Amino acid sequence: MSLTTTESAGRSRVPQTYQDYEGDREFATTLARGLELLRCFTPEDRLLGNRELTQRMALPRSTVSRLTYTLVAMGYLAQDADSGKYRLGAAVLSLGFPLLDTFSVRQRARSAMLALAQRLRGTVAIVIRDRLDMVCIEVARSGTLAVDAMDIGRTYSMCGSAVGRAYLTACTPADRQRLLNQIQVKAPAEWERHQARLQVNLAQYANWGCCVSVGEIYADVQAVAVPLRRQEHGEQAALNISFQRRAPNERWLIEEVGPQLSALARQLM
């Protein structure tokens, strides 16, 4: 049976995370599959073979083989000589830099972010949204890297992180509800785990002036975040400071750290 016949008999042609586009003639399915394949690689899964990619993407192995072959040819994947598995290629990094360079706030904020990080002995980050996650675009830290330290390009849960919650407070009510609905449908486990504290943060933001997360993603990490003004091309951002291996103290985050972070956000307006 041909691939087309197999897929038409029940297998969706679009990636699992894009079911809304099923049947959309303008949606380039092959392109979407290739990009979703690249997203399978994480800091925890740096090497993946066709078998693992087939399982994760719920696609025929022949389709995945064509995708990996093409992505290797284009430099977006590289093949490991020892295992034969794939890792991300340098072209992925080259593709991301022009985007980072559009955020002029990164250059303007570095010295002030570092000063706050050193004063409070934490890690300060500027973060934007990536679908239903938050991704760091600039980081300043005091001391050495911690085990779960924030870094440029690393992603975090929108509903479970302080910075994701701060981002949501800056959205219009309609956009915020749309994102919350998507989380419930596309990331039900995340919603179940974090929705109670998320709702508390959204309700209390007007009183607190910030959002917090204490041990909710990593047991030894606590963080506070505030919205940052929209960037040059309309991208909403948020500002976060996190602390690792420090006694949990939500009141300290809200009453002492939050105002200092808000002052930095105003400075960057």
Side-chain angles (χ1 to χ4, degrees):
M1 183 180 292
S2 69
L3 175 59
T4 301
T5 303
T6 300
E7 290 183 338
S8 64
R11 187 189 297 275
S12 173
R13 289 186 55 79
V14 301
Q16 292 177 325
T17 49
Y18 287 91
Q19 293 300 311
D20 293 348
Y21 292 91
E22 185 73 63
D24 187 339
R25 292 176 179 269
E26 296 298 316
F27 190 79
T29 303
T30 301
L31 174 60
R33 286 172 168 176
L35 293 173
E36 283 298 281
L37 187 148
L38 294 176
R39 284 181 173 272
C40 291
F41 294 87
T42 68
E44 294 73 33
D45 295 308
R46 299 179 182 182
L47 286 176
L48 294 171
N50 282 342
R51 175 186 292 182
E52 295 142 308
L53 291 167
T54 295
Q55 293 171 344
R56 295 180 186 211
M57 298 190 68
L59 289 174
R61 187 160 183 169
S62 59
T63 301
V64 170
S65 294
R66 288 196 297 272
L67 291 172
T68 53
Y69 177 85
T70 303
L71 291 167
V72 168
M74 297 179 70
Y76 293 105
L77 288 181
Q79 195 160 20
D80 182 69
D82 295 327
S83 67
K85 294 185 177 183
Y86 303 98
R87 64 177 181 272
L88 292 177
V92 175
L93 186 60
S94 299
L95 188 65
F97 179 75
L99 172 61
L100 286 175
D101 198 48
T102 65
F103 294 101
S104 63
V105 68
R106 296 173 61 242
Q107 290 77 30
R108 291 188 289 107
R110 280 175 185 156
S111 60
M113 288 172 62
L114 182 59
L116 182 63
Q118 292 176 335
R119 185 165 69 247
L120 296 176
R121 301 185 61 81
T123 300
V124 181
I126 298 174
V127 186
I128 61 174
R129 180 171 71 89
D130 174 18
R131 302 195 295 187
L132 299 180
D133 292 317
M134 305 301 297
V135 59
C136 298
I137 61 170
E138 185 63 29
V139 175
R141 60 176 59 86
S142 65
T144 58
L145 275 172
V147 175
D148 296 313
M150 300 187 90
D151 208 348
I152 294 174
R154 190 158 186 175
T155 59
Y156 293 87
S157 162
M158 179 182 291
C159 60
S161 66
V163 74
R165 295 164 182 175
Y167 175 91
L168 287 167
T169 66
C171 293
T172 65
D175 285 344
R176 180 166 54 248
Q177 191 57 55
R178 176 179 56 81
L179 288 170
L180 294 178
N181 290 342
Q182 288 185 26
I183 293 171
Q184 292 178 62
V185 172
K186 297 182 178 181
E190 283 283 293
W191 178 258
E192 181 66 23
R193 179 182 177 188
H194 298 298
Q195 65 94 10
R197 289 299 301 167
L198 167 63
Q199 297 292 5
V200 169
N201 273 260
L202 294 179
Q204 292 296 328
Y205 174 73
N207 296 323
W208 294 349
C210 61
C211 292
V212 297
S213 178
V214 180
E216 295 175 53
I217 296 180
Y218 301 108
D220 64 340
V221 175
Q222 55 190 317
V224 58
V226 298
L228 196 58
R229 70 169 178 83
R230 290 188 178 274
Q231 303 307 300
E232 293 88 343
H233 38 71
E235 188 83 49
Q236 179 63 54
L239 193 60
N240 184 90
I241 182 167
S242 60
F243 306 90
Q244 189 171 9
R245 297 171 183 164
R246 178 176 184 145
N249 191 333
E250 184 174 275
R251 182 174 179 179
W252 172 72
L253 290 174
I254 295 171
E255 296 182 358
E256 296 189 32
V257 181
Q260 296 182 63
L261 195 65
S262 294
L264 175 56
R266 288 193 297 272
Q267 182 181 335
L268 298 176
M269 292 181 66

PDB file of all heavy atoms in Angstrom, residues 123-160:
ATOM      1  N   THR A 123      19.621  34.653  38.836  1.00  0.00           N
ATOM      2  CA  THR A 123      19.765  34.643  37.379  1.00  0.00           C
ATOM      3  C   THR A 123      18.625  35.446  36.778  1.00  0.00           C
ATOM      4  O   THR A 123      17.457  35.138  37.005  1.00  0.00           O
ATOM      5  CB  THR A 123      19.727  33.204  36.826  1.00  0.00           C
ATOM      6  OG1 THR A 123      20.807  32.449  37.394  1.00  0.00           O
ATOM      7  CG2 THR A 123      19.854  33.204  35.314  1.00  0.00           C
ATOM      8  N   VAL A 124      18.955  36.485  36.028  1.00  0.00           N
ATOM      9  CA  VAL A 124      17.962  37.365  35.410  1.00  0.00           C
ATOM     10  C   VAL A 124      17.857  37.014  33.935  1.00  0.00           C
ATOM     11  O   VAL A 124      18.874  36.809  33.266  1.00  0.00           O
ATOM     12  CB  VAL A 124      18.350  38.848  35.583  1.00  0.00           C
ATOM     13  CG1 VAL A 124      17.297  39.758  34.955  1.00  0.00           C
ATOM     14  CG2 VAL A 124      18.536  39.176  37.063  1.00  0.00           C
ATOM     15  N   ALA A 125      16.628  36.944  33.426  1.00  0.00           N
ATOM     16  CA  ALA A 125      16.425  36.558  32.032  1.00  0.00           C
ATOM     17  C   ALA A 125      15.305  37.366  31.386  1.00  0.00           C
ATOM     18  O   ALA A 125      14.330  37.735  32.049  1.00  0.00           O
ATOM     19  CB  ALA A 125      16.101  35.066  31.934  1.00  0.00           C
ATOM     20  N   ILE A 126      15.459  37.631  30.100  1.00  0.00           N
ATOM     21  CA  ILE A 126      14.386  38.171  29.270  1.00  0.00           C
ATOM     22  C   ILE A 126      13.815  37.004  28.475  1.00  0.00           C
ATOM     23  O   ILE A 126      14.569  36.217  27.887  1.00  0.00           O
ATOM     24  CB  ILE A 126      14.892  39.263  28.314  1.00  0.00           C
ATOM     25  CG1 ILE A 126      15.460  40.442  29.106  1.00  0.00           C
ATOM     26  CG2 ILE A 126      13.763  39.754  27.402  1.00  0.00           C
ATOM     27  CD1 ILE A 126      16.115  41.503  28.234  1.00  0.00           C
ATOM     28  N   VAL A 127      12.493  36.894  28.468  1.00  0.00           N
ATOM     29  CA  VAL A 127      11.852  35.705  27.910  1.00  0.00           C
ATOM     30  C   VAL A 127      10.681  36.116  27.014  1.00  0.00           C
ATOM     31  O   VAL A 127       9.984  37.098  27.298  1.00  0.00           O
ATOM     32  CB  VAL A 127      11.341  34.800  29.055  1.00  0.00           C
ATOM     33  CG1 VAL A 127      10.807  33.480  28.518  1.00  0.00           C
ATOM     34  CG2 VAL A 127      12.463  34.539  30.068  1.00  0.00           C
ATOM     35  N   ILE A 128      10.501  35.379  25.909  1.00  0.00           N
ATOM     36  CA  ILE A 128       9.361  35.586  25.028  1.00  0.00           C
ATOM     37  C   ILE A 128       8.607  34.269  24.878  1.00  0.00           C
ATOM     38  O   ILE A 128       9.070  33.225  25.342  1.00  0.00           O
ATOM     39  CB  ILE A 128       9.787  36.114  23.636  1.00  0.00           C
ATOM     40  CG1 ILE A 128      10.715  35.109  22.949  1.00  0.00           C
ATOM     41  CG2 ILE A 128      10.446  37.478  23.761  1.00  0.00           C
ATOM     42  CD1 ILE A 128      11.060  35.477  21.514  1.00  0.00           C
ATOM     43  N   ARG A 129       7.449  34.325  24.207  1.00  0.00           N
ATOM     44  CA  ARG A 129       6.640  33.109  24.043  1.00  0.00           C
ATOM     45  C   ARG A 129       7.042  32.341  22.793  1.00  0.00           C
ATOM     46  O   ARG A 129       7.301  32.914  21.741  1.00  0.00           O
ATOM     47  CB  ARG A 129       5.157  33.475  23.941  1.00  0.00           C
ATOM     48  CG  ARG A 129       4.242  32.262  23.771  1.00  0.00           C
ATOM     49  CD  ARG A 129       2.790  32.648  23.886  1.00  0.00           C
ATOM     50  NE  ARG A 129       2.296  33.414  22.751  1.00  0.00           N
ATOM     51  CZ  ARG A 129       1.769  32.859  21.646  1.00  0.00           C
ATOM     52  NH1 ARG A 129       1.678  31.548  21.529  1.00  0.00           N
ATOM     53  NH2 ARG A 129       1.312  33.633  20.682  1.00  0.00           N
ATOM     54  N   ASP A 130       7.063  31.027  22.932  1.00  0.00           N
ATOM     55  CA  ASP A 130       7.216  30.118  21.796  1.00  0.00           C
ATOM     56  C   ASP A 130       6.080  29.105  21.869  1.00  0.00           C
ATOM     57  O   ASP A 130       6.139  28.168  22.649  1.00  0.00           O
ATOM     58  CB  ASP A 130       8.575  29.408  21.848  1.00  0.00           C
ATOM     59  CG  ASP A 130       8.715  28.342  20.758  1.00  0.00           C
ATOM     60  OD1 ASP A 130       7.946  28.390  19.780  1.00  0.00           O
ATOM     61  OD2 ASP A 130       9.590  27.465  20.899  1.00  0.00           O
ATOM     62  N   ARG A 131       5.011  29.350  21.106  1.00  0.00           N
ATOM     63  CA  ARG A 131       3.801  28.524  21.154  1.00  0.00           C
ATOM     64  C   ARG A 131       3.264  28.510  22.583  1.00  0.00           C
ATOM     65  O   ARG A 131       2.874  29.558  23.083  1.00  0.00           O
ATOM     66  CB  ARG A 131       4.074  27.126  20.584  1.00  0.00           C
ATOM     67  CG  ARG A 131       4.577  27.168  19.143  1.00  0.00           C
ATOM     68  CD  ARG A 131       4.523  25.845  18.447  1.00  0.00           C
ATOM     69  NE  ARG A 131       5.419  24.861  19.049  1.00  0.00           N
ATOM     70  CZ  ARG A 131       5.633  23.661  18.526  1.00  0.00           C
ATOM     71  NH1 ARG A 131       5.029  23.303  17.403  1.00  0.00           N
ATOM     72  NH2 ARG A 131       6.453  22.819  19.107  1.00  0.00           N
ATOM     73  N   LEU A 132       3.278  27.352  23.262  1.00  0.00           N
ATOM     74  CA  LEU A 132       2.764  27.292  24.630  1.00  0.00           C
ATOM     75  C   LEU A 132       3.898  27.190  25.650  1.00  0.00           C
ATOM     76  O   LEU A 132       3.681  26.772  26.798  1.00  0.00           O
ATOM     77  CB  LEU A 132       1.803  26.106  24.783  1.00  0.00           C
ATOM     78  CG  LEU A 132       0.563  26.171  23.888  1.00  0.00           C
ATOM     79  CD1 LEU A 132      -0.324  24.953  24.121  1.00  0.00           C
ATOM     80  CD2 LEU A 132      -0.228  27.461  24.120  1.00  0.00           C
ATOM     81  N   ASP A 133       5.090  27.576  25.246  1.00  0.00           N
ATOM     82  CA  ASP A 133       6.245  27.611  26.136  1.00  0.00           C
ATOM     83  C   ASP A 133       6.814  29.022  26.168  1.00  0.00           C
ATOM     84  O   ASP A 133       6.416  29.892  25.392  1.00  0.00           O
ATOM     85  CB  ASP A 133       7.328  26.634  25.661  1.00  0.00           C
ATOM     86  CG  ASP A 133       6.906  25.181  25.792  1.00  0.00           C
ATOM     87  OD1 ASP A 133       6.322  24.833  26.836  1.00  0.00           O
ATOM     88  OD2 ASP A 133       7.163  24.402  24.848  1.00  0.00           O
ATOM     89  N   MET A 134       7.765  29.228  27.049  1.00  0.00           N
ATOM     90  CA  MET A 134       8.495  30.487  27.119  1.00  0.00           C
ATOM     91  C   MET A 134       9.964  30.185  26.836  1.00  0.00           C
ATOM     92  O   MET A 134      10.510  29.202  27.342  1.00  0.00           O
ATOM     93  CB  MET A 134       8.342  31.116  28.514  1.00  0.00           C
ATOM     94  CG  MET A 134       6.902  31.315  28.964  1.00  0.00           C
ATOM     95  SD  MET A 134       5.914  32.363  27.864  1.00  0.00           S
ATOM     96  CE  MET A 134       6.787  33.925  27.980  1.00  0.00           C
ATOM     97  N   VAL A 135      10.611  31.038  26.026  1.00  0.00           N
ATOM     98  CA  VAL A 135      11.998  30.794  25.649  1.00  0.00           C
ATOM     99  C   VAL A 135      12.854  32.009  25.996  1.00  0.00           C
ATOM    100  O   VAL A 135      12.468  33.150  25.759  1.00  0.00           O
ATOM    101  CB  VAL A 135      12.102  30.451  24.138  1.00  0.00           C
ATOM    102  CG1 VAL A 135      11.558  31.576  23.264  1.00  0.00           C
ATOM    103  CG2 VAL A 135      13.541  30.121  23.759  1.00  0.00           C
ATOM    104  N   CYS A 136      14.038  31.757  26.567  1.00  0.00           N
ATOM    105  CA  CYS A 136      14.947  32.825  26.988  1.00  0.00           C
ATOM    106  C   CYS A 136      15.682  33.408  25.785  1.00  0.00           C
ATOM    107  O   CYS A 136      16.178  32.668  24.931  1.00  0.00           O
ATOM    108  CB  CYS A 136      15.976  32.282  27.961  1.00  0.00           C
ATOM    109  SG  CYS A 136      15.295  31.620  29.484  1.00  0.00           S
ATOM    110  N   ILE A 137      15.776  34.739  25.749  1.00  0.00           N
ATOM    111  CA  ILE A 137      16.542  35.388  24.687  1.00  0.00           C
ATOM    112  C   ILE A 137      17.745  36.162  25.242  1.00  0.00           C
ATOM    113  O   ILE A 137      18.603  36.584  24.467  1.00  0.00           O
ATOM    114  CB  ILE A 137      15.670  36.333  23.840  1.00  0.00           C
ATOM    115  CG1 ILE A 137      15.080  37.456  24.696  1.00  0.00           C
ATOM    116  CG2 ILE A 137      14.576  35.556  23.126  1.00  0.00           C
ATOM    117  CD1 ILE A 137      14.411  38.555  23.880  1.00  0.00           C
ATOM    118  N   GLU A 138      17.815  36.351  26.548  1.00  0.00           N
ATOM    119  CA  GLU A 138      18.984  36.983  27.176  1.00  0.00           C
ATOM    120  C   GLU A 138      19.042  36.551  28.629  1.00  0.00           C
ATOM    121  O   GLU A 138      18.003  36.445  29.294  1.00  0.00           O
ATOM    122  CB  GLU A 138      18.914  38.502  27.066  1.00  0.00           C
ATOM    123  CG  GLU A 138      20.150  39.223  27.582  1.00  0.00           C
ATOM    124  CD  GLU A 138      21.412  38.886  26.786  1.00  0.00           C
ATOM    125  OE1 GLU A 138      21.313  38.570  25.584  1.00  0.00           O
ATOM    126  OE2 GLU A 138      22.512  38.953  27.379  1.00  0.00           O
ATOM    127  N   VAL A 139      20.249  36.298  29.132  1.00  0.00           N
ATOM    128  CA  VAL A 139      20.423  35.813  30.498  1.00  0.00           C
ATOM    129  C   VAL A 139      21.647  36.482  31.115  1.00  0.00           C
ATOM    130  O   VAL A 139      22.672  36.650  30.453  1.00  0.00           O
ATOM    131  CB  VAL A 139      20.604  34.273  30.535  1.00  0.00           C
ATOM    132  CG1 VAL A 139      20.895  33.802  31.950  1.00  0.00           C
ATOM    133  CG2 VAL A 139      19.372  33.566  30.001  1.00  0.00           C
ATOM    134  N   ALA A 140      21.528  36.862  32.385  1.00  0.00           N
ATOM    135  CA  ALA A 140      22.667  37.351  33.170  1.00  0.00           C
ATOM    136  C   ALA A 140      22.624  36.635  34.505  1.00  0.00           C
ATOM    137  O   ALA A 140      21.579  36.579  35.152  1.00  0.00           O
ATOM    138  CB  ALA A 140      22.587  38.863  33.363  1.00  0.00           C
ATOM    139  N   ARG A 141      23.744  36.104  34.931  1.00  0.00           N
ATOM    140  CA  ARG A 141      23.757  35.319  36.172  1.00  0.00           C
ATOM    141  C   ARG A 141      24.932  35.702  37.054  1.00  0.00           C
ATOM    142  O   ARG A 141      25.949  36.203  36.571  1.00  0.00           O
ATOM    143  CB  ARG A 141      23.803  33.820  35.862  1.00  0.00           C
ATOM    144  CG  ARG A 141      25.008  33.379  35.076  1.00  0.00           C
ATOM    145  CD  ARG A 141      25.034  31.863  34.899  1.00  0.00           C
ATOM    146  NE  ARG A 141      23.874  31.363  34.233  1.00  0.00           N
ATOM    147  CZ  ARG A 141      23.735  31.290  32.901  1.00  0.00           C
ATOM    148  NH1 ARG A 141      24.719  31.729  32.127  1.00  0.00           N
ATOM    149  NH2 ARG A 141      22.658  30.809  32.351  1.00  0.00           N
ATOM    150  N   SER A 142      24.758  35.436  38.329  1.00  0.00           N
ATOM    151  CA  SER A 142      25.861  35.619  39.270  1.00  0.00           C
ATOM    152  C   SER A 142      26.455  34.243  39.555  1.00  0.00           C
ATOM    153  O   SER A 142      25.735  33.251  39.653  1.00  0.00           O
ATOM    154  CB  SER A 142      25.364  36.239  40.582  1.00  0.00           C
ATOM    155  OG  SER A 142      24.485  35.346  41.246  1.00  0.00           O
ATOM    156  N   GLY A 143      27.762  34.173  39.669  1.00  0.00           N
ATOM    157  CA  GLY A 143      28.385  32.905  40.000  1.00  0.00           C
ATOM    158  C   GLY A 143      28.403  31.930  38.837  1.00  0.00           C
ATOM    159  O   GLY A 143      28.221  32.278  37.677  1.00  0.00           O
ATOM    160  N   THR A 144      28.572  30.663  39.178  1.00  0.00           N
ATOM    161  CA  THR A 144      28.696  29.611  38.181  1.00  0.00           C
ATOM    162  C   THR A 144      27.340  29.051  37.811  1.00  0.00           C
ATOM    163  O   THR A 144      26.347  29.261  38.499  1.00  0.00           O
ATOM    164  CB  THR A 144      29.581  28.474  38.725  1.00  0.00           C
ATOM    165  OG1 THR A 144      28.994  27.971  39.925  1.00  0.00           O
ATOM    166  CG2 THR A 144      30.985  28.990  39.017  1.00  0.00           C
ATOM    167  N   LEU A 145      27.296  28.303  36.713  1.00  0.00           N
ATOM    168  CA  LEU A 145      26.060  27.683  36.257  1.00  0.00           C
ATOM    169  C   LEU A 145      25.547  26.683  37.272  1.00  0.00           C
ATOM    170  O   LEU A 145      26.282  25.835  37.772  1.00  0.00           O
ATOM    171  CB  LEU A 145      26.301  26.948  34.932  1.00  0.00           C
ATOM    172  CG  LEU A 145      26.221  27.767  33.646  1.00  0.00           C
ATOM    173  CD1 LEU A 145      26.677  26.907  32.485  1.00  0.00           C
ATOM    174  CD2 LEU A 145      24.808  28.246  33.406  1.00  0.00           C
ATOM    175  N   ALA A 146      24.266  26.758  37.568  1.00  0.00           N
ATOM    176  CA  ALA A 146      23.618  25.751  38.404  1.00  0.00           C
ATOM    177  C   ALA A 146      23.110  24.632  37.503  1.00  0.00           C
ATOM    178  O   ALA A 146      23.120  24.729  36.281  1.00  0.00           O
ATOM    179  CB  ALA A 146      22.466  26.382  39.182  1.00  0.00           C
ATOM    180  N   VAL A 147      22.658  23.564  38.130  1.00  0.00           N
ATOM    181  CA  VAL A 147      22.227  22.391  37.370  1.00  0.00           C
ATOM    182  C   VAL A 147      21.105  22.738  36.411  1.00  0.00           C
ATOM    183  O   VAL A 147      21.100  22.323  35.250  1.00  0.00           O
ATOM    184  CB  VAL A 147      21.790  21.274  38.333  1.00  0.00           C
ATOM    185  CG1 VAL A 147      21.237  20.096  37.556  1.00  0.00           C
ATOM    186  CG2 VAL A 147      22.961  20.834  39.203  1.00  0.00           C
ATOM    187  N   ASP A 148      20.112  23.482  36.880  1.00  0.00           N
ATOM    188  CA  ASP A 148      18.947  23.803  36.060  1.00  0.00           C
ATOM    189  C   ASP A 148      18.919  25.281  35.681  1.00  0.00           C
ATOM    190  O   ASP A 148      17.871  25.901  35.625  1.00  0.00           O
ATOM    191  CB  ASP A 148      17.661  23.419  36.806  1.00  0.00           C
ATOM    192  CG  ASP A 148      17.574  21.930  37.043  1.00  0.00           C
ATOM    193  OD1 ASP A 148      17.812  21.173  36.086  1.00  0.00           O
ATOM    194  OD2 ASP A 148      17.285  21.520  38.168  1.00  0.00           O
ATOM    195  N   ALA A 149      20.094  25.850  35.436  1.00  0.00           N
ATOM    196  CA  ALA A 149      20.170  27.287  35.170  1.00  0.00           C
ATOM    197  C   ALA A 149      19.467  27.649  33.868  1.00  0.00           C
ATOM    198  O   ALA A 149      19.472  26.898  32.903  1.00  0.00           O
ATOM    199  CB  ALA A 149      21.631  27.716  35.099  1.00  0.00           C
ATOM    200  N   MET A 150      18.856  28.834  33.861  1.00  0.00           N
ATOM    201  CA  MET A 150      18.288  29.367  32.627  1.00  0.00           C
ATOM    202  C   MET A 150      19.420  29.692  31.669  1.00  0.00           C
ATOM    203  O   MET A 150      20.516  30.076  32.077  1.00  0.00           O
ATOM    204  CB  MET A 150      17.474  30.622  32.921  1.00  0.00           C
ATOM    205  CG  MET A 150      16.313  30.413  33.874  1.00  0.00           C
ATOM    206  SD  MET A 150      15.253  31.878  34.034  1.00  0.00           S
ATOM    207  CE  MET A 150      14.052  31.581  32.739  1.00  0.00           C
ATOM    208  N   ASP A 151      19.135  29.553  30.374  1.00  0.00           N
ATOM    209  CA  ASP A 151      20.130  29.900  29.372  1.00  0.00           C
ATOM    210  C   ASP A 151      19.409  30.301  28.094  1.00  0.00           C
ATOM    211  O   ASP A 151      18.238  29.971  27.893  1.00  0.00           O
ATOM    212  CB  ASP A 151      21.065  28.722  29.104  1.00  0.00           C
ATOM    213  CG  ASP A 151      22.451  29.182  28.643  1.00  0.00           C
ATOM    214  OD1 ASP A 151      22.601  30.390  28.327  1.00  0.00           O
ATOM    215  OD2 ASP A 151      23.372  28.353  28.613  1.00  0.00           O
ATOM    216  N   ILE A 152      20.098  31.007  27.218  1.00  0.00           N
ATOM    217  CA  ILE A 152      19.500  31.465  25.969  1.00  0.00           C
ATOM    218  C   ILE A 152      19.040  30.257  25.148  1.00  0.00           C
ATOM    219  O   ILE A 152      19.792  29.307  24.946  1.00  0.00           O
ATOM    220  CB  ILE A 152      20.497  32.321  25.179  1.00  0.00           C
ATOM    221  CG1 ILE A 152      20.799  33.615  25.935  1.00  0.00           C
ATOM    222  CG2 ILE A 152      19.963  32.644  23.791  1.00  0.00           C
ATOM    223  CD1 ILE A 152      21.879  34.467  25.306  1.00  0.00           C
ATOM    224  N   GLY A 153      17.791  30.323  24.704  1.00  0.00           N
ATOM    225  CA  GLY A 153      17.230  29.244  23.913  1.00  0.00           C
ATOM    226  C   GLY A 153      16.522  28.173  24.706  1.00  0.00           C
ATOM    227  O   GLY A 153      15.804  27.346  24.138  1.00  0.00           O
ATOM    228  N   ARG A 154      16.679  28.163  26.012  1.00  0.00           N
ATOM    229  CA  ARG A 154      16.017  27.146  26.830  1.00  0.00           C
ATOM    230  C   ARG A 154      14.552  27.519  27.027  1.00  0.00           C
ATOM    231  O   ARG A 154      14.213  28.693  27.156  1.00  0.00           O
ATOM    232  CB  ARG A 154      16.703  27.007  28.180  1.00  0.00           C
ATOM    233  CG  ARG A 154      16.218  25.813  28.982  1.00  0.00           C
ATOM    234  CD  ARG A 154      17.204  25.366  30.004  1.00  0.00           C
ATOM    235  NE  ARG A 154      16.757  24.129  30.643  1.00  0.00           N
ATOM    236  CZ  ARG A 154      17.475  23.456  31.528  1.00  0.00           C
ATOM    237  NH1 ARG A 154      18.678  23.895  31.871  1.00  0.00           N
ATOM    238  NH2 ARG A 154      17.012  22.339  32.066  1.00  0.00           N
ATOM    239  N   THR A 155      13.687  26.516  27.050  1.00  0.00           N
ATOM    240  CA  THR A 155      12.248  26.765  27.154  1.00  0.00           C
ATOM    241  C   THR A 155      11.702  26.327  28.498  1.00  0.00           C
ATOM    242  O   THR A 155      12.246  25.421  29.149  1.00  0.00           O
ATOM    243  CB  THR A 155      11.472  26.043  26.036  1.00  0.00           C
ATOM    244  OG1 THR A 155      11.726  24.631  26.118  1.00  0.00           O
ATOM    245  CG2 THR A 155      11.885  26.560  24.674  1.00  0.00           C
ATOM    246  N   TYR A 156      10.596  26.973  28.888  1.00  0.00           N
ATOM    247  CA  TYR A 156       9.946  26.695  30.168  1.00  0.00           C
ATOM    248  C   TYR A 156       8.430  26.707  29.994  1.00  0.00           C
ATOM    249  O   TYR A 156       7.896  27.361  29.096  1.00  0.00           O
ATOM    250  CB  TYR A 156      10.368  27.730  31.222  1.00  0.00           C
ATOM    251  CG  TYR A 156      11.826  27.624  31.580  1.00  0.00           C
ATOM    252  CD1 TYR A 156      12.788  28.300  30.827  1.00  0.00           C
ATOM    253  CD2 TYR A 156      12.255  26.811  32.614  1.00  0.00           C
ATOM    254  CE1 TYR A 156      14.139  28.173  31.120  1.00  0.00           C
ATOM    255  CE2 TYR A 156      13.607  26.681  32.919  1.00  0.00           C
ATOM    256  CZ  TYR A 156      14.539  27.359  32.169  1.00  0.00           C
ATOM    257  OH  TYR A 156      15.877  27.218  32.451  1.00  0.00           O
ATOM    258  N   SER A 157       7.767  26.017  30.882  1.00  0.00           N
ATOM    259  CA  SER A 157       6.307  25.928  30.858  1.00  0.00           C
ATOM    260  C   SER A 157       5.679  27.310  30.998  1.00  0.00           C
ATOM    261  O   SER A 157       6.070  28.095  31.862  1.00  0.00           O
ATOM    262  CB  SER A 157       5.844  25.033  32.012  1.00  0.00           C
ATOM    263  OG  SER A 157       4.480  25.226  32.298  1.00  0.00           O
ATOM    264  N   MET A 158       4.677  27.593  30.163  1.00  0.00           N
ATOM    265  CA  MET A 158       3.984  28.869  30.281  1.00  0.00           C
ATOM    266  C   MET A 158       3.163  28.938  31.564  1.00  0.00           C
ATOM    267  O   MET A 158       3.182  29.947  32.272  1.00  0.00           O
ATOM    268  CB  MET A 158       3.077  29.112  29.076  1.00  0.00           C
ATOM    269  CG  MET A 158       2.307  30.428  29.154  1.00  0.00           C
ATOM    270  SD  MET A 158       1.186  30.686  27.771  1.00  0.00           S
ATOM    271  CE  MET A 158       2.355  30.922  26.455  1.00  0.00           C
ATOM    272  N   CYS A 159       2.441  27.875  31.874  1.00  0.00           N
ATOM    273  CA  CYS A 159       1.561  27.947  33.044  1.00  0.00           C
ATOM    274  C   CYS A 159       2.279  27.586  34.348  1.00  0.00           C
ATOM    275  O   CYS A 159       1.804  27.949  35.424  1.00  0.00           O
ATOM    276  CB  CYS A 159       0.325  27.061  32.851  1.00  0.00           C
ATOM    277  SG  CYS A 159       0.654  25.319  32.597  1.00  0.00           S
ATOM    278  N   GLY A 160       3.439  26.921  34.265  1.00  0.00           N
ATOM    279  CA  GLY A 160       4.132  26.515  35.478  1.00  0.00           C
ATOM    280  C   GLY A 160       5.233  27.445  35.926  1.00  0.00           C
ATOM    281  O   GLY A 160       5.695  27.365  37.064  1.00  0.00           O
TER     282      GLY A 160
END
